[in-house]
Structure formats: C-alpha cells, structure tokens
Amino acid sequence: MKVAVITVSDRASAGVYEDRSGPEIIRVLVEALPGIETSLSVVPDEADRLLAALHAQAASDWIITTGGTGIGPRDITPEATGAFIERDLPGIAEALRAASLAETPFAMFSRGRAGQRGHCLVVNFPGSPRAVRLCTKLLLPLLEHGPAMVHGEGH
C-alpha cells in the first residue's frame, strides 16, 4: 500500500518553520503498518501547486493532505481537493470532524473533504500535529479496506 502525504503550508514550504504534521502522519502510519510505502511533499497554500501535487501522487492508494482546511484567507485545500476528486466521500470528513470536535470546539471551522479519483482515495486533515495524530489513528481501519473496495473486491 502506498500513502502519499502532502503538507499544505506557506511557511513550511518556504522553510520558515519545520513541517511537523506531515512527518507525524507518516510516523503513526509506519508504527501501525510496518512496510507501508509513504512519501511526503510540502507545497504552499496555492491551489495550482496543490493540484499539481495531487496529480503527481494519483497512483497512490491514499493521499492525505494536512493543512489549509480552515477559514483563513489562504486556506484552499478543500477547493483544490474538490477540483481533483471525481466522487465525494463525505462520511470520512464528517467522522474526522466529529472526532476532532470532541477534542476542540475549533474543529467546527474545519472544511476538510474526502473523495476518490480513480483508484486513489484522498482525505484532508487539519494542520496541527495533535489533530493529525487523531485523524491518522481514525483512518487506520480504512486504509486496506478502501482500496480493496475501489478495485471491486467488495466488502
């Protein structure tokens, strides 16, 4: 299984600060699923750059983005994801928001999406290390079953 992680952050992409969320997602994945293939890229909060990164990783089983899901003026991740996906998977985004809401009322500001393009599943996570830890753990049970379903292997 291949999971591509894309951090969406102006400051991390410019080297102003270290990306901690993307590496945290990978740490949780590798700890839970030894042998999983992962990649990490960092792009600024620019729709064309994120869309290019999504297309570059479209052969992955999963693409997880982190960051850019809020209501800030440069938060474009849900819109770029919407331009990339062919089918929405609202249950995933709703479940992540509901679990995050138990941790912080600020989860109500999350606009993250989830969807499918071909055989690739895409999900938007918030940008904090604490949030991505929670969201990654919630996604773990779906990681193998989702790709099996999109390949027609059933339930």
Side-chain angles (χ1 to χ4, degrees), residues 3-13 17-29 39-46 49-50 53-54 57 62-70 74-78 80-81 96 100 110-114 121-136 139:
V3 178
V5 177
I6 303 171
T7 299
V8 184
S9 168
D10 287 331
R11 292 176 291 172
S13 69
Y17 70 74
E18 179 183 356
D19 171 24
R20 295 183 310 148
S21 296
E24 184 63 13
I25 294 168
I26 290 174
R27 185 194 67 74
V28 174
L29 289 172
S39 65
L40 174 63
S41 55
V42 181
V43 298
D45 291 277
E46 296 173 10
R49 297 280 301 274
L50 176 52
L54 290 165
Q57 297 297 338
W62 287 89
I63 299 173
I64 300 172
T65 69
T66 175
T69 62
R74 293 200 35 92
D75 289 335
I76 51 79
T77 301
T81 299
L96 296 176
S100 297
S110 177
R111 300 179 311 112
R113 292 181 75 170
L121 299 167
V122 183
V123 62
N124 302 150
F125 285 179
S128 79
R130 180 178 174 199
V132 300
R133 235 182 334 274
L134 171 67
C135 291
T136 305
L139 195 66

